[in-house]
Amino acid sequence: QVQLVESGGGLAQAGGSLRLSCAASGRTFSSYAMAWFRQAPGKEREFVAVIMWSDDITYYVGSVKGRFIISRDNAKNTVYLQMNSLKPEDTAVYYCAAGIPATASRLQVAGYDYWGQGTRVTVSS
């Protein structure tokens, strides 16, 4: 089992920044791909970013490329999401996820076995 706890959400103005953290406990953190998803009101949960377990390769959804940065610190069992140039459309509950997804599912909810409780991000215009 892996337990994930997110923190760092809150209120930001458009153009501002926030950094989300996800602390993991349980099994070996470095063995998992770590991802961030988000869910806006009335919408499905969508992929935001992932960092792979073996080579730290990262993938981002197009709408956050160049603005968000995902990173991991295996010594601290923590994954981060640095969010810059925030937009009102980034408003959502952000979820941390861990898993060993197949290539075809690394950007999908179904690719991940463990989820945090979510942290809310609100961006005002």
Side-chain angles (χ1 to χ4, degrees):
Q1 286 284 350
V2 174
Q3 292 79 43
L4 304 173
V5 179
E6 302 99 333
S7 61
L11 178 64
Q13 290 189 333
S17 298
L18 286 173
R19 189 175 81 154
L20 305 184
S21 299
C22 173
S25 60
R27 291 189 174 180
T28 306
F29 173 78
S30 59
S31 300
Y32 291 89
M34 299 299 299
W36 289 95
F37 288 75
R38 65 186 179 186
Q39 188 165 16
K43 295 188 177 182
E44 293 187 352
R45 193 169 298 188
E46 68 166 354
F47 167 81
V48 176
V50 63
I51 184 165
M52 305 311 291
W53 63 92
S54 58
D55 48 17
D56 283 355
I57 289 177
T58 57
Y59 300 92
Y60 297 90
V61 67
S63 59
V64 308
K65 279 184 180 178
R67 299 190 298 122
F68 290 11
I69 301 171
I70 188 171
S71 61
R72 65 191 297 161
D73 185 335
N74 288 340
K76 295 183 178 180
N77 284 3
T78 301
V79 63
Y80 304 97
L81 186 67
Q82 178 66 43
M83 305 188 296
N84 302 319
S85 302
L86 283 163
K87 303 176 180 180
E89 51 263 44
D90 295 319
T91 294
V93 177
Y94 283 71
Y95 296 91
C96 176
I100 307 177
T103 300
S105 59
R106 62 181 55 170
L107 309 186
Q108 299 175 3
V109 171
Y112 297 85
D113 300 307
Y114 305 102
W115 293 83
Q117 81 290 349
T119 185
R120 186 173 301 277
V121 171
T122 302
V123 183
S124 62
S125 57

